[in-house]
């Protein structure tokens, strides 16, 4: 985005201290499309519906954000039982709660200050939870992990921003540059704007199912080096908003590239449990890095992020997550520990939910079967909805949707007729924003324009979650396809 | 603190991308004494005790942080019942939970997306909770408040940093300066270091019970104007670490000063329920501002902060709080709404606890009596411990402790003999850090040196919470006084 220049101060002092002109220009430049103008309008329309204003629909469907519970997904019982007991230990005597949930709650409370979730935890998180995260990573990857490298966080966003904060330095052409995928999850562009780091775009190959290509990384790096000092490479796998799952070979190539070019790797792996396509599998950057052996395993610096907001649990509102740092300089790690201490600690209940996800009920334990059944039901339904999305969209001429191999979103490309582009221009809107606004006004469906994530010049997309219940999603996809066809006709 | 200069890059590139030399120098400058080196050492000693290393004490007592539950304070039952039900609605059938807690839980769930605390809330918080905060402020102040001006947050710290972020701009001598009290709560100095804003110190008058003096504000402002553009004035009332409660007259003077000098006011009022001294009362900046009438009430910009971590509830681990903005430019308010949207939402359970605090059980409701009894027990005990602290410290020659009128800390001044200063110098420690470290090693008592909060040159203090249970606190205070006397003798 072009830098916003601060207008000169008016001759007479403004009435207020804090004005649009005097405020922090870096904050002005921040954009976050997932909760941007389209969502503001969606909330207004909801109010209008409540007031009885006539609309061609009866409800707003917010397919703009990966918010599973808001779309009706049920919480996993074991997670909620454990945390409810931690909040209110009086309920231990309730006979409807299974004994393993009670034992877990007791164990977690014994790790909390004063046996209360109301006490601050240690700033990097409750030690027992950090240990359980390390054990989870070891089981996942088959390589060692240590609690010392795990920092719990207020959702993954918090951890991502903290790692970026450490990495930003230098002025002018020496300012830290950060390579991010396009399309990207707009937390990255927002954080870089706020931290005044330089965004360096590398493009995913839509024609090859949003593959990440090292030649393109090389091009982007060379471009970035002309205006800043690129030191960080961000990868989102499985992709958000693009839904691709990276192959092991691709991850190896990226690691070699990072090693050769001396880039710090940030691997956003919050969708690691959300893999749907046959033949796709999640490979963590940590596992691949360690299995590659020296010099890579000893020298490439990596931060890998995870969250309780996605996967099968979808506990967005609890705000939990973690970062594992690999090969981080010990002094810098101490600086990270200091930095997180200023905010005291991540929300303790988010940490405890994370514990139950990292260390779920085992076969034979009272909660095991219910837990497994609930988890499989969620993941099975998501896989079905991923398939359905791609299928229905691709039946519509002008809409092109890559397979949703993982994550929670489709990111279809839409062809827009020249007259629509002209109409958007008149309104000063991006063409896909114009399309999405019209879609919202006429159908109540709220999706996010591709321009909010970035896309190749001249292409148009939108991001839509696959989260609504299957039957509702089907209707939604058909409504959307019908609207698209009508829209194209209107502007042809 | 003196600026840390970044050393020049070595001739051969360092092995790692992120090193102490290459990292963000602003983050290196951050300090946060409340969880600083003394706490690191306290945690080590706890491990040493566990391993059976012989020590002259059997447990570490962490009086370094306002963490009520960790010190044994019991949670307020109603708050926990409501939130446990919200987490696990299956428990609605539990007969031990009173009906008003169940009704509140139902009402709160109906305000959550998909009736689940696992859904993201709106970024400024659950609308119903914001409304209840506004009603609470109206009852407290007797002047109107609106939910539109309330932004819920991840503890007060989060909100304070967000408001500061908006206010920081300019370069060199035009860089935003922020006036903060000395002694201060070190979140302020840490946030200013990170945001590269200029810290401008004004000193509280220890000899007049840490009073805030407008003449001193004027001196500090003039000093600040020589090196930056002071635009913000932070006040902590009741004081942290100093425990004073400001008079209404003093608040009026501060508001007039802010009006005349065009300063944005930030009022940290998280201890508003913690008032103990006879004759002291809490006056909110909002109330005083509004009652002063025009031009003040229409023009002075104010942000007031509150938290669920303090008061009678002490729910630090839940991470909840809010800021009310007054007279904020509407466009800037929209920018604030955008800024908070990037982090999606504050932890939902913290928001729900806040709701129960803002709108507690009313007379006649089933939970009323238990709620009142628990609340009064906590506040009554704190008042007694505040009195006790002052009394015991002042019996010891060389220790001078102002009355703890409010908040949760004493901040006694200690005289240190010249030989102790010399011994500290040899170790490269601040003299009060030297004292506090010795205290920790010999008694297991962990308090924070005054140098972590700032103090007048040549004076020495420490901050200690009044939170341990009364009998334990008494022993603690006596142990500390005895140690001090021994320490002075040793270095005389």
């Amino acid at each position: 985005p072009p830098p916003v220049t601060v207008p000169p101060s008016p001759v007479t002092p403004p009435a207020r201290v804090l004005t649009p002109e005097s405020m922090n220009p870096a904050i002005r430049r921040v954009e976050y499309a997932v909760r941007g103008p389209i969502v503001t309008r969606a909330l207004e329309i909801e109010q209008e519906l409540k007031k009885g204003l006539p609309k061609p629909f009866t409800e707003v469907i917010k397919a703009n954000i990966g918010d599973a519970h808001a779309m009706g997904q049920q919480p996993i019982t074991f997670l909620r039982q454990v945390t409810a007991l931690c909040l209110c230990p009086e309920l231990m005597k309730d006979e409807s709660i299974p004994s393993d949930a009670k034992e877990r709650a007791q164990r977690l409370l014994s790790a909390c200050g004063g046996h209360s979730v109301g006490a601050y935890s240690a700033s990097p998180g409750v030690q027992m939870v950090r240990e359980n995260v390390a054990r989870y990573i070891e089981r996942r990857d088959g390589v060692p992990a240590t609690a010392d490298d795990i920092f719990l966080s207020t959702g993954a966003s918090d951890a991502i921003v903290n790692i970026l904060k450490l990495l930003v330095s230098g002025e002018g052409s020496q300012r830290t540059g950060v390579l991010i995928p396009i399309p990207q999850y707009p937390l990255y562009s927002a954080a870089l704007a706020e931290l005044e780091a330089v965004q360096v775009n590398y493009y995913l190959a839509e024609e090859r199912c949003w593959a990440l290509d090292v030649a393109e990384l090389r091009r982007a790096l060379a471009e970035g080096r002309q205006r800043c000092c690129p030191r960080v490479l961000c990868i989102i796998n499985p992709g958000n908003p693009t839904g691709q799952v990276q192959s092991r070979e691709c991850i190896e190539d990226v690691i070699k590239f990072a090693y050769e070019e001396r880039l710090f790797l940030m691997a956003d792996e919050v969708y690691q449990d959300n893999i749907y396509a046959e033949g796709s599998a999640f490979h963590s950057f940590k596992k691949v890095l360690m299995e590659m052996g020296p010099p890579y395993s000893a020298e490439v610096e990596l931060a890998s992020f995870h969250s309780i907001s996605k996967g099968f649990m979808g506990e967005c509102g609890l705000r939990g997550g973690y970062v594992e740092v690999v090969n981080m300089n010990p002094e810098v790690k101490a600086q990270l520990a200091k930095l997180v201490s200023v905010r005291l600690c991540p929300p303790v209940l988010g940490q405890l939910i994370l514990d139950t996800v990292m260390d779920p009920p085992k076969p034979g334990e009272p909660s095991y079967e219910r837990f497994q059944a609930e988890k499989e039901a969620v993941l099975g339904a998501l896989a079905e909805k991923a398939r359905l999305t791609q299928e229905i969209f691709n039946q519509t001429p002008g809409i092109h949707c890559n397979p949703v191999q993982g994550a929670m979103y489709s990111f279809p490309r839409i062809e827009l007729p020249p007259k629509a582009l002209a109409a958007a221009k008149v309104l000063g809107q991006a063409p896909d924003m114009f399309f999405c606004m019209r879609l919202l006004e006429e159908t109540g469906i709220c999706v996010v324009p591709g321009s909010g994530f970035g896309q190749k010049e001249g292409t148009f997309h939108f991001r839509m979650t696959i989260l609504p219940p299957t039957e509702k999603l089907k209707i939604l996809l058909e409504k959307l396809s019908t609207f698209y066809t009508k829209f194209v006709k209107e502007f042809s």
Side-chain angles (χ1 to χ4, degrees), chain A residues 10 12-19:
Chain A
T12 53
R16 302 248 162 114
V17 179
L18 183 58
T19 65

Side-chain angles (χ1 to χ4, degrees), chain A residues 422-463:
Chain A
K425 204 171 179 183
V426 171
L427 294 172
Q429 285 178 340
D432 45 15
M433 173 65 92
F434 176 66
F435 172 79
C436 291
M437 275 289 185
R438 286 286 296 266
L439 175 72
L440 174 64
E441 297 288 348
E442 295 190 24
T443 67
I445 302 171
C446 178
V447 299
V448 189
S451 45
F453 304 89
Q455 53 199 352
K456 251 184 200 147
E457 183 79 31
T459 68
F460 307 106
H461 301 77
F462 59 83
R463 187 186 84 163

Side-chain angles (χ1 to χ4, degrees), chain A residues 50 53 91 110 119 177 184-185 239 249 266 286 350 384 432 440 470 478:
Chain A
K50 264 191 194 162
L53 260 78
L91 293 167
S110 74
Q184 55 127 4
Y185 174 56
E249 294 68 43
M266 290 178 63
K286 164 88 179 292
E384 166 66 9
D432 45 15
L440 174 64
T470 313
E478 280 156 5

Side-chain angles (χ1 to χ4, degrees), chain A residues 1-189:
Chain A
V4 175
T5 51
V6 191
S9 298
V11 180
T12 53
R16 302 248 162 114
V17 179
L18 183 58
T19 65
E21 294 73 34
S22 74
M23 72 174 279
N24 187 337
I27 301 294
R28 285 193 67 147
R29 281 193 289 270
V30 167
E31 282 180 26
Y32 187 67
V34 173
R35 294 210 155 182
I38 196 114
V39 182
T40 307
R41 180 65 194 133
L43 294 172
E44 284 170 12
I45 292 178
E46 275 185 335
Q47 292 306 313
E48 293 170 8
L49 280 171
K50 264 191 194 162
K51 284 182 198 146
L53 260 78
K55 301 269 174 196
F57 49 87
T58 55
E59 61 165 338
V60 173
I61 295 159
K62 286 183 224 139
N64 59 296
I65 188 164
D67 191 358
H69 292 202
M71 288 284 118
Q73 183 182 308
Q74 292 307 299
I76 305 292
T77 305
F78 179 74
L79 277 52
R80 296 301 192 89
Q81 287 173 334
V82 170
T83 42
L85 289 178
C86 288
L87 263 170
C88 196
E90 282 185 9
L91 293 167
M92 293 278 182
K93 62 186 185 313
D94 188 297
E95 286 173 10
S96 70
I97 298 183
S99 60
D100 54 345
K102 291 180 182 173
E103 284 154 22
R104 176 67 63 93
Q106 292 285 15
R107 210 155 74 232
L108 287 170
L109 281 176
S110 74
C112 292
H115 293 244
S116 170
V117 297
Y120 292 117
S121 74
S123 301
V126 173
Q127 186 62 23
M128 182 192 286
V129 181
R130 296 170 79 200
E131 303 277 359
N132 274 334
V133 172
R135 298 299 81 73
Y136 164 86
I137 293 172
E138 288 183 340
R139 284 193 306 276
R140 183 192 69 189
D141 293 345
V143 294
T146 158
D148 277 0
D149 289 338
I150 313 290
F151 291 79
L152 307 190
S153 59
T154 308
S157 307
D158 173 46
I160 291 168
V161 174
N162 278 336
I163 297 295
L164 284 172
K165 270 185 194 169
L166 291 175
L167 283 157
V168 173
S169 67
E171 295 299 330
S173 66
Q174 287 309 299
R175 191 71 177 163
T176 294
V178 179
L179 279 85
I180 64 169
I182 296 294
Q184 55 127 4
Y185 174 56
L187 167 69
Y188 291 94
S189 52

Side-chain angles (χ1 to χ4, degrees), chain A residues 306-310 313-316 318-321 350 353-354 357:
Chain A
H306 198 8
S307 167
I308 59 171
S309 301
K310 311 300 168 185
M313 49 287 180
E315 294 282 9
C316 311
L318 277 286
R319 314 304 300 121
I353 290 263
L354 180 63
V357 172

Side-chain angles (χ1 to χ4, degrees), chain A residues 200-250:
Chain A
V200 180
N201 296 336
Y202 67 88
Y203 289 82
L204 301 173
E206 180 166 18
E207 63 287 2
R208 285 180 293 120
C209 202
W210 300 113
L212 194 172
D213 193 15
V214 170
E216 168 58 13
L217 285 180
R218 231 176 270 287
R219 181 207 62 75
L221 184 66
E223 184 279 315
R225 284 198 171 135
Q226 291 171 18
R227 54 194 174 100
C228 65
C229 177
R231 306 205 294 154
V232 191
L233 170 54
C234 297
I235 280 110
I236 311 175
N237 177 48
N240 175 6
T242 40
Q244 83 287 11
V245 177
Q246 284 184 321
S247 69
R248 194 191 157 103
E249 294 68 43
C250 174

Side-chain angles (χ1 to χ4, degrees), chain A residues 160-450:
Chain A
I160 291 168
V161 174
N162 278 336
I163 297 295
L164 284 172
K165 270 185 194 169
L166 291 175
L167 283 157
V168 173
S169 67
E171 295 299 330
S173 66
Q174 287 309 299
R175 191 71 177 163
T176 294
V178 179
L179 279 85
I180 64 169
I182 296 294
Q184 55 127 4
Y185 174 56
L187 167 69
Y188 291 94
S189 52
L192 297 181
E194 188 183 324
L195 297 171
E196 303 186 76
V198 182
Q199 177 176 330
V200 180
N201 296 336
Y202 67 88
Y203 289 82
L204 301 173
E206 180 166 18
E207 63 287 2
R208 285 180 293 120
C209 202
W210 300 113
L212 194 172
D213 193 15
V214 170
E216 168 58 13
L217 285 180
R218 231 176 270 287
R219 181 207 62 75
L221 184 66
E223 184 279 315
R225 284 198 171 135
Q226 291 171 18
R227 54 194 174 100
C228 65
C229 177
R231 306 205 294 154
V232 191
L233 170 54
C234 297
I235 280 110
I236 311 175
N237 177 48
N240 175 6
T242 40
Q244 83 287 11
V245 177
Q246 284 184 321
S247 69
R248 194 191 157 103
E249 294 68 43
C250 174
I251 294 172
E252 284 189 18
D253 290 347
V254 170
I255 290 172
K256 283 181 194 157
F257 176 76
Y259 172 76
E260 287 158 14
E261 302 293 349
R262 301 193 60 255
L263 297 169
F264 186 106
L265 277 174
M266 290 178 63
D268 180 339
E269 299 177 322
V270 301
Y271 296 99
Q272 58 188 266
D273 288 326
N274 299 98
I275 310 281
Y276 315 118
E278 252 182 75
S280 287
F282 173 71
H283 304 279
S284 78
F285 267 77
K286 164 88 179 292
K287 178 187 171 73
V288 176
L289 175 60
M290 289 301 137
E291 291 180 354
M292 284 168 75
Y296 309 104
S297 60
E299 292 191 31
V300 173
E301 296 153 78
L302 166 69
S304 156
F305 305 92
H306 198 8
S307 167
I308 59 171
S309 301
K310 311 300 168 185
F312 55 92
M313 49 287 180
E315 294 282 9
C316 311
L318 277 286
R319 314 304 300 121
Y322 75 79
V323 56
E324 182 189 21
V325 295
V326 179
N327 290 328
M328 182 176 267
N329 175 297
E331 259 186 80
V332 175
K333 205 159 78 176
Q335 292 283 336
L336 175 59
K338 179 193 72 179
L339 177 63
V340 298
S341 81
V342 179
R343 296 300 186 88
L344 299 160
C345 72
V348 170
L349 288 166
Q351 299 185 44
L352 303 193
I353 290 263
L354 180 63
D355 187 85
T356 61
V357 172
M358 297 286 107
D359 183 17
K362 293 175 187 59
E365 293 176 354
S367 297
Y368 177 73
E369 282 180 28
R370 186 172 181 182
F371 176 86
Q372 279 300 109
E374 290 175 348
K375 173 178 168 175
E376 282 162 19
V378 170
L379 292 176
L382 285 172
E384 166 66 9
K385 293 187 277 191
R387 200 192 50 72
L388 204 67
T389 297
Q390 172 200 355
E391 191 182 290
I392 299 184
F393 275 145
N394 284 328
Q395 283 164 5
T396 313
I399 302 186
H400 311 269
C401 185
N402 272 327
V404 181
Q405 298 173 331
M408 293 183 170
Y409 318 96
S410 62
F411 195 67
R413 189 172 84 243
I414 46 174
E415 293 169 20
L416 294 179
K419 280 189 192 161
L421 308 196
K425 204 171 179 183
V426 171
L427 294 172
Q429 285 178 340
D432 45 15
M433 173 65 92
F434 176 66
F435 172 79
C436 291
M437 275 289 185
R438 286 286 296 266
L439 175 72
L440 174 64
E441 297 288 348
E442 295 190 24
T443 67
I445 302 171
C446 178
V447 299
V448 189

